[in-house]
Structures are given as C-alpha cells and as structure tokens.
Amino acid sequence: IVGMAMGKRDVPTELPSKEATTASFLLPGLALKFGGGNSPTTSPGVTTTTESSIVSRLCKTTWAIIGGLQTTAEQWRSKLTRDTDLVAKCLQTRAVQWRSKMTRDKDLVSKFITALYKQYLAVHFTYMEINMDAKTGASLKLTTLFAGGGASVVYSDTNCALGDSSEVDGRSKLAGKPGAGDDSPTTSPVVTTTTESSTASLFSKTTRAIVWGLQTRAVQGMMDFDYVCGREQPSVACMVYPMSPGDSKQNFYWGHKEVLVPIYKSMADAMAAFPDVDVLISFASLRSAYDSTLECLEFKQIRTIAIIAEGIPENYTRKLIKEADKKNVTIIGPATVGGVKPGCFKIGNTGGMMDNILHSKLYRPGNVAYVSRSGGMSNELNNMISQTTNGVYEGVAIGGDRYPCSTFMDHLLRYQASSEVGMLVLLGEVGGTEEYQVCEAIKSGVFTKPIVAWCIGTCADMFATDVQFGHAGASAGASEETASAKNKALAEAGAEVPTSFDELGEKIGEVYRKLVIAGTIVPKAELPPPPVPMDYNWARELGLIRKPASFMTSICDERGQELLYAGIPITEVFKQDMGIGGVLSLLWFQRRLPPYACKFLEMCLMITADHGPAVSGAHNTIVCARAGKDLVSSLVSGLLTIGDRFGGALDGAAAQFTEAFDSGLIANDFVNKAKKEGVLIMGIGHRVKSLNNPDMRVVVISEYAKEHFPCTPLLDYAREVEQITTKKKPNLILNVDGCIALCFVDLLRHSGFFTKDEAENIIKTGSLNGLFVLGRSIGFIGHFLDQKRLKQGLYRHPWDDISYVLPEINQ
C-alpha cells in the first residue's frame, strides 16, 4: 500500500460500482469507510481532470494519512505545503474543502480505493478504514493477520522500505522527529561481571521440568521434541493444576507408546515427588502468574522459570526480578514463547510443530546462539540460522514486555562463555536501551565472539508521533530508543549489522562461512533424526489418512454456526412454525411432511400421553417414585413394561395387518387363519372398552384420517376385521394401538412422500412403537411429578389384594 501511495506500484483501472454520496465502499471481506465530517449529500459528477495528476495528488494525500498525522487541519495542511508544491496546490483551503474536492473526484478516489483493496488481498490485511475529519486531519488504520508482535513489526518495516525510505526520513525531520543523522546517544559504560552462575547452562539433555497448567498440546510437543532428540526420558516430569479436583494422570505419546504424566493439585507435592526437576514452565494466566511464580521461587531446586503469559502488571514483574535475583533463579519472560536448546530441551510451544522442528534442524545442536525479544521471530531465526549455518546451539526469546525478567546480556554472556558457541545473533526491537549495553560490552572486549545484530521497528521513523507496536516494550520514548539509532550504535560498536531485516539471514551466513574457513567452527556430519509418528488428528487434517467413522448420522448436525435438523436450520424450524410434528418428521423420517401429517403425529402423542395410574407402566413409575428414585430411574421402570401386551402392539399390528392385506386375504380368512395358527391379532381387543363403550381415542384418530388422508385402505380393512371379531366378543374392537398403526401405514403408503420400500423399512425399524414410547413418556413423567408433589411415601401393596397360594408339604 505504501509503495502504491508513493507511485512505486500501478493503480488498477477497474472501478467499483458507484455507491452512496458519502463515498462509502463496502468490499467483500473488507470493512472500509471513506467519508466523515460534513460530507456532501448530493451525487457528485465525474471530473475531467487529468488522471495522472489526480492520482498523484491522491497518492501524496494518502501518504499523509499513512503518516499518521493526528494534528489540526491547519498544521496538517502546513506540513504538506512544506513538503511538496504539488500537494500545496491541492490543499489551499481547509480540510473540509479538500474533502469536498476528493468527493468531486469520486471515480479517481474509487480507483485508488480499489487499488488499496487489491493490495489488501495480496498482503492479508483483515481490516482497513480511512477516515477524514476536520478536527484530526486524516488517519489510516490497518490491522494484519499476523499473530505476534515481532512479526507484525518486521512486516511493517518491509512495507515501509518498499514505499520510499528516503522520503520517509525527510518527513520525519520536518515533524521534529530525530532522524538518522542525529548523534547516537551517549551511554555510560557497562560494568559486567562474569560469575559461574551467570554463565552456567540453563538446559541439558537430562533437564526435567514441571508444567504449570493443563497445556496438553504443549506438553505433547515437548515430548515429541524429546523423542526426536534421542533423550532417554521425557523432559516433562509432571503437571501442576490447582483447579483440578485432585491428583490424577494424563496420557501422552512417547514415540509409538503411551505414557502417563502425573497431574498434581499442589506445587509442593509435585516438587516433593520429583526432586530432580529444576525448571518450571508456567502457563498460568496473567492473573495467577505472579502468585504461582512467587510460590515456585520458594523451592530451592528450581533454577529456571519460563513465564508464558503476557499482560502481567509491570510492578509485579519488577518484584519478580528482585526476588529471582536474590535466589539466583533465571526467569525467561513474561510474554514469551520460551526458548530452545536443540538436541536437549525446549520450552512449551517453542519451535512450532514437528515439521518445522525437523526443517530447522532443532533435533541436534549447531554452533550459533541467538537471543530475541519476539517469540514469533525466534521461530523465524531458527529457520534462518538453519538455512545459512550448521544450526542453532541455543535460542531464547526474553519477551516483549518493558521489563523482561532476563535480559539480552544475561543470555549473551552465557553464550560467550560456552565453548560450543561460535557466533552470536541478537534480534532487538524499537523501545528500551538494552542494546546499548551490548554495544559497550563489545567495545570493552567482554564479547569476543562475532555478533550479528538487528533491531526491528525501523518503520517507526516515518511517524510524526510515538507509535506503540504489538509488544508492550516496543515504543520509542526517546531518540535513542528508535531501532535506527540502535542499529547504528551496534554497527559502530563492531557488531555485524545488515541494512535491513531481509538481509539478516545473508549476514549470518556470511559471518558463519568466515568462521568455518578460519577453523573456528567445525561443522559436524549430519545425522538423520528418528521418525516421529504423526498425530492422528493432524494427519487427518492434512488429508494424509482416512478412517471409517465410528458413527454415522443423517438427521442432525451441530458442528456449524447453527443446529441443523435434517439440513434445516433450527431458526427456520421456528420461523416456519413446524411444531413438534414437523420436528419429528425431520428427525425420524428426514423430510418435511405436509401439515396434515405433522398434525397426525402430534395427535398420536397427545392421545397416547397417558391412560391413568392403573396401567402397568404408570404403576411402575409411581412405585419407583414413592421409593425415592430419581426421575430417569422411575421413567425407565415404566418404559420397560411396554411390549406386546402393553402399548407395544403398534409395530406388530402394522406388520400383521399389512401382510394379510397385501397377500389378498379377505377379513374373514385373515381371522380364521389367525385362529388356526393360535396367534392373537395385534391391535384387536381391549380390557375395558367395547362396542357399547367405544374408545373415543380410536374415534378421534379414525375420523381425522378419513377426513384428511388421501385414502385409508388398511384402516377400512381393520374395520372389516373388527366386525367379525366383535361378533365373538364385544370387547374385541380395534384398539388405539391398532388404529394408530394402521392409519400411520396408510399415511406412509399414500402420502406421496415415501416409496413402498421406505414405508416397509420404517415399520420394521420400530418407528411406530416409538410414537407410543414418546407419547407415554409424557404421562409417566407426569405421574412421577404428581407423586413428588403429593409427597407420597414408600408404597407397600396391601395383603388383602394378594392371594397367597402356598403348596401343602407334609412335614
């Protein structure tokens, strides 16, 4: 975007469609506003001004926006006037008039906005907003997809370098900002003392750690790293999680086999169980990191602590620094990813996933040691160093806060004292003055090994005001804290400083090759790492494997933004007022049935909901409820009584009548056949109801079916059978089970929504009994709640209702 604004990149000729008179453009994936203040409300015309001239003015104007000029309109216009005559001609009046002119040139503004959008697509900006205001002048806000403060700063540096760094410097001087020509800051000499403790190695191949927090993914990553490094045992001894209900164990992979890692509720218990542990990796939140670190410092066995959390109050961090100094404990962080010692140990998620670890050759040590502020950029250093040298010996990201608990000097001194380290790499950033201590150490001869250094954040020079980057400490409060000033000081002190971050890798490789030629570094033969099994979930995500699913479902999907019933969003279910019948049609039959069919399903539930407390299912539910059992247990006891003799005759009746009807048996022959075979006709007969005392439930269902169904051949056939059976006994009527079942079969066969095979399959799978079970559950739950409400005691069946018939046995 900067390059385009400065005329370094072409502006596309495509125009977006003309929008509202406030010149507001909403583009796909982009929230972009152009307007504000007292924008005109009439549709502007198209100007005939020469395109190149207007685009040039637009580019220059947008440069002012990008410059972040948050001053009054008069100051802003004055600044641009001093800068270039072309812009001065364009800005002869107040900012309001300038905005009006921009509106008149709407088509050319649209071109430029289109160009910004296309560039946004290319560089992955997630949000862009341009605001013009008479009070503040102008502003441009850009937010990137980059995760990590350091990465975003490097990205900004590169964009600004593509724009035109010479013009950037010029504008900085006009704004009163210290430029590159300012004198380097004067710092007092650094007195450095080297002690055994300050130069001792933090990690080895036998280092073991306690992880504070349930960070299972990070722990698995550490164990995979341990395995590929050829360690004899995992580096993670145990985990501490005070919020856990009690001590437990968590399974992890160690190569191909699974191992159990203890989880302790108390840190004291963890320390006592593993006295060989000397490192604590804290994934505690910013709210608990301070207290948990203080607690850890009470244990003398701990020599190194890594604090991952960011946002810890600075006064707490400074207290931790003092406490750690008293106890001679090294703290890495806060606000860091940690660090790594290839072939030995890595902290948490340092180094990324296994493919990146292998690519960066972190499974074995090299001869280059680095220290950086940014955790994200430490991964880039791992890659950069592995590509240009024999690899990393050790790398630490001290964290992006203003007061890191350990400094550049702390780690560089350790590297200087190590005979395995051939060269050092320092990646600083804008803000702070620690790099000047490194300068003094180089000058005074404390560091004898070559140091390649670069400070990111050079783009800050282009802004007229102080800029706060992603890290809390990445803000230059004085001229000596700018990245440019520190890069200059490092170069003058004797460090190897590239001209930009893009050349950092080349500079590292150049210094490394000189050391190899001089014999200072002797590269070792490359050893292939042992294969590490890929995690199943990751392999599946990459599409490398496939596996039959344990379950298959075709009725419901809860994975998206909205719950789906047979493909229909739950909101549509309510918008279309489908009701319970509509939901049943979706979940049971995977299709939307017509309203009369949904109404029939609801009628079945209503009719079968209850039939009094005397039936076996309700009786069982009541007995269980009075015995003090819970709702589910009482409900299940009632449901278990449903079968061929009680309520479960729907499927049997449908199958029996359907077979007779389809085979062409007339009603009389069907009855005689059943009698001859000695089987009962399911759906026929009732203990209480008869011809003279009809079951009104059957009357309601049959009348509804006759009125609304396309046809009811099976119901008619059942009525013919009823005429024959009632001649034998008046209570051998078509009961509610049979009526519902046969009406349902008529619905399946003649509604036009099911094939014959689908209808038969629905009957065979027990869907009809499901209607009775679902409906009667309503009544059983009602009986349970009724007994609880009435506070009924334990039920005992009366003796006078039991016939005791005991065998007479001679004694």
Side-chain angles (χ1 to χ4, degrees):
I1 290 176
V2 177
M4 186 169 50
M6 299 308 301
K8 305 298 183 182
R9 298 180 184 273
D10 295 333
V11 178
T13 58
E14 301 90 344
L15 298 179
S17 60
K18 292 185 178 181
E19 299 291 343
T21 56
T22 56
S24 175
F25 305 95
L26 298 178
L27 303 177
L30 177 68
L32 186 150
K33 304 173 189 174
F34 189 87
N38 299 317
S39 298
T41 56
T42 58
S43 179
V46 178
T47 182
T48 57
T49 309
T50 305
E51 178 177 326
S52 60
S53 174
I54 296 298
V55 170
S56 176
R57 291 204 297 270
L58 288 173
C59 290
K60 294 290 184 180
T61 302
T62 304
W63 168 251
I65 298 172
I66 295 173
L69 301 173
Q70 299 295 330
T71 58
T72 63
E74 184 63 30
Q75 291 172 315
W76 177 60
R77 183 175 65 257
S78 175
K79 179 180 291 298
L80 289 173
T81 301
R82 293 198 307 269
D83 185 63
T84 169
D85 292 338
L86 179 61
V87 180
K89 292 178 182 179
C90 180
L91 305 172
Q92 294 298 324
T93 56
R94 297 189 306 274
V96 174
Q97 293 173 303
W98 176 81
R99 183 174 62 251
S100 176
K101 182 174 183 62
M102 298 293 284
T103 305
R104 291 198 304 272
D105 298 333
K106 180 178 176 181
D107 282 348
L108 292 177
V109 172
S110 299
K111 283 186 178 183
F112 191 77
I113 296 302
T114 303
L116 288 177
Y117 174 60
K118 289 185 177 296
Q119 191 69 3
Y120 145 80
L121 293 178
V123 301
H124 308 293
F125 280 110
T126 58
Y127 178 82
M128 176 166 60
E129 180 175 339
I130 298 177
N131 290 319
M132 293 185 200
D133 188 279
K135 294 181 179 180
T136 61
S139 66
L140 172 66
K141 178 181 180 181
L142 301 173
T143 304
T144 71
L145 278 173
F146 287 100
S152 61
V153 175
V154 169
Y155 186 72
S156 301
D157 288 351
T158 304
N159 267 325
C160 291
L162 289 174
D164 194 321
S165 58
S166 61
E167 293 192 33
V168 171
D169 290 340
R171 299 174 194 274
S172 298
K173 293 176 183 178
L174 286 173
K177 187 76 174 177
D182 294 343
D183 293 336
S184 299
T186 303
T187 60
S188 57
V190 176
V191 179
T192 305
T193 59
T194 303
T195 63
E196 182 180 353
S197 59
S198 65
T199 60
S201 177
L202 298 182
F203 314 117
S204 68
K205 207 157 189 172
T206 59
T207 296
R208 304 203 74 198
I210 292 175
V211 175
W212 198 104
L214 285 181
Q215 292 289 328
T216 56
R217 188 168 184 176
V219 171
Q220 184 61 67
M222 291 177 64
M223 297 183 74
D224 287 341
F225 176 83
D226 298 338
Y227 183 81
V228 80
C229 291
R231 284 181 58 120
E232 295 182 358
Q233 63 176 342
S235 60
V236 179
C238 65
M239 303 167 70
V240 173
Y241 190 60
M243 281 68 76
S244 63
D247 295 349
S248 60
K249 293 186 178 182
Q250 175 73 41
N251 61 309
F252 292 95
Y253 285 102
W254 174 250
H256 293 271
K257 65 179 182 179
E258 287 188 273
V259 295
L260 294 175
V261 174
I263 300 175
Y264 293 95
K265 187 177 179 68
S266 164
M267 187 181 295
D269 293 343
M271 296 290 183
F274 296 94
D276 60 324
V277 165
D278 61 355
V279 175
L280 179 109
I281 302 172
S282 175
F283 284 96
S285 68
L286 63 92
R287 294 176 297 277
S288 56
Y290 174 72
D291 291 333
S292 60
T293 303
L294 284 181
E295 180 185 4
C296 178
L297 288 171
E298 297 300 319
F299 298 94
K300 295 182 179 180
Q301 67 189 75
I302 297 298
R303 307 312 314 152
T304 306
I305 300 175
I307 304 176
I308 310 302
E310 57 182 315
I312 299 175
E314 292 178 355
N315 61 324
Y316 284 0
T317 304
R318 295 163 81 173
K319 291 178 182 178
L320 289 177
I321 293 173
K322 289 184 177 180
E323 194 65 25
D325 287 344
K326 290 179 185 177
K327 304 191 178 225
N328 200 23
V329 174
T330 299
I331 298 181
I332 299 174
T336 180
V337 71
V340 61
K341 187 169 184 179
C344 296
F345 182 83
K346 89 179 183 92
I347 297 173
N349 296 305
T350 307
M353 300 188 66
M354 183 51 61
D355 55 347
N356 190 61
I357 288 173
L358 297 177
H359 177 75
S360 300
K361 302 175 183 177
L362 299 181
Y363 54 86
R364 66 9 169 219
N367 294 106
V368 181
Y370 72 81
V371 60
S372 76
R373 269 191 172 272
S374 169
M377 293 311 298
S378 69
N379 284 340
E380 178 60 24
L381 285 176
N382 291 331
N383 174 67
M384 190 181 294
I385 293 172
S386 69
Q387 300 302 311
T388 57
T389 71
N390 68 343
V392 176
Y393 174 78
E394 184 178 330
V396 172
I398 64 173
D401 282 357
R402 291 183 63 85
Y403 300 101
C405 291
S406 58
T407 65
F408 291 142
M409 286 294 295
D410 292 334
H411 299 286
L412 290 174
L413 286 172
R414 291 193 301 103
Y415 302 155
Q416 170 66 31
S418 174
S419 59
E420 299 295 325
V421 175
M423 61 178 288
L424 314 178
V425 175
L426 167 65
L427 184 63
E429 67 179 25
V430 60
T433 58
E434 290 183 25
E435 289 84 354
Y436 293 110
Q437 297 181 22
V438 178
C439 294
E440 293 301 321
I442 295 174
K443 294 177 182 178
S444 62
V446 173
F447 293 136
T448 58
K449 297 177 180 179
I451 299 180
V452 179
W454 178 255
C455 294
I456 62 176
T458 54
C459 63
D461 293 344
M462 67 178 285
F463 295 101
T465 58
D466 292 338
V467 179
Q468 175 67 60
F469 292 100
H471 292 155
S475 177
S479 60
E480 64 267 19
E481 293 186 19
T482 63
S484 297
K486 290 194 279 189
N487 284 331
K488 180 181 179 182
L490 285 165
E492 292 175 351
E496 299 286 343
V497 180
T499 58
S500 70
F501 179 82
D502 291 340
E503 297 179 6
L504 179 59
E506 297 177 9
K507 179 63 69 172
I508 293 173
E510 176 186 329
V511 173
Y512 172 78
R513 287 189 293 273
K514 290 180 180 178
L515 293 174
V516 172
I517 294 174
T520 305
I521 294 179
V522 179
K524 299 178 182 178
E526 190 67 50
L527 297 176
V532 177
M534 183 177 290
D535 182 72
Y536 169 77
N537 292 329
W538 178 240
R540 182 182 60 183
E541 188 173 336
L542 293 177
L544 301 178
I545 59 174
R546 59 186 181 186
K547 165 186 172 294
S550 300
F551 290 96
M552 295 183 67
T553 181
S554 59
I555 64 170
C556 183
D557 191 346
E558 81 288 359
R559 297 171 299 172
Q561 293 183 347
E562 190 173 351
L563 178 67
L564 302 178
Y565 285 168
I568 296 181
I570 189 65
T571 53
E572 287 299 315
V573 172
F574 286 96
K575 286 180 181 178
Q576 300 178 28
D577 196 20
M578 295 185 184
I580 294 296
V583 172
L584 282 179
S585 71
L586 295 175
L587 296 181
W588 286 22
F589 311 116
Q590 297 180 296
R591 65 205 68 194
R592 287 200 59 184
L593 296 179
Y596 75 86
C598 295
K599 177 65 175 177
F600 172 74
L601 294 177
E602 293 177 358
M603 289 176 63
C604 292
L605 297 180
M606 296 164 66
I607 285 174
T608 60
D610 195 42
H611 201 214
V615 297
S616 58
H619 180 83
N620 270 21
T621 301
I622 291 172
V623 171
C624 279
R626 293 180 61 172
K629 302 297 289 185
D630 61 277
L631 171 63
V632 175
S633 301
S634 302
L635 174 61
V636 169
S637 71
L639 293 176
L640 289 176
T641 64
I642 297 176
D644 292 344
R645 293 189 176 185
F646 169 63
L650 281 79
D651 286 334
Q656 203 171 13
F657 274 89
T658 300
E659 182 182 359
F661 181 81
D662 291 344
S663 64
L665 285 177
I666 62 176
N668 190 59
D669 291 345
F670 171 51
V671 174
N672 290 335
K673 182 174 181 292
K675 180 180 180 181
K676 183 179 180 180
E677 294 177 353
V679 297
L680 297 174
I681 300 177
M682 308 297 290
I684 295 293
H686 199 284
R687 293 179 62 86
V688 178
K689 301 299 181 178
S690 65
L691 280 175
N692 301 323
N693 181 25
D695 189 341
M696 294 309 298
R697 299 176 299 174
V698 175
V699 174
V700 171
I701 288 290
S702 58
E703 288 180 353
Y704 182 86
K706 296 295 290 185
E707 180 180 353
H708 296 90
F709 286 14
C711 58
T712 57
L714 271 173
L715 177 60
D716 298 338
Y717 183 70
R719 287 300 189 184
E720 295 176 10
V721 172
E722 182 186 48
Q723 292 177 6
I724 298 173
T725 56
T726 52
K727 290 179 180 179
K728 180 180 179 182
K729 286 184 179 181
N731 68 327
L732 295 178
I733 59 173
L734 178 65
N735 59 36
V736 68
D737 292 352
C739 182
I740 291 176
L742 300 178
C743 289
F744 197 88
V745 175
D746 284 335
L747 174 65
L748 294 176
R749 288 189 167 190
H750 305 292
S751 64
F753 286 84
F754 303 91
T755 65
K756 183 179 179 181
D757 289 339
E758 286 176 333
E760 291 180 356
N761 186 58
I762 289 173
I763 296 171
K764 292 178 181 177
T765 54
S767 300
L768 295 175
N769 271 353
L771 279 176
F772 184 85
V773 170
L774 181 58
R776 190 52 59 93
S777 295
I778 299 172
F780 290 168
I781 293 174
H783 284 295
F784 172 86
L785 298 176
D786 184 54
Q787 295 301 307
K788 295 297 184 182
R789 182 170 49 251
L790 296 174
K791 295 180 173 56
Q792 293 295 289
L794 178 65
Y795 174 80
R796 181 180 177 87
H797 203 72
W799 291 344
D800 58 3
D801 193 38
I802 302 173
S803 178
Y804 292 92
V805 183
L806 300 179
E808 296 182 1
I809 301 176
N810 295 328
Q811 296 185 6

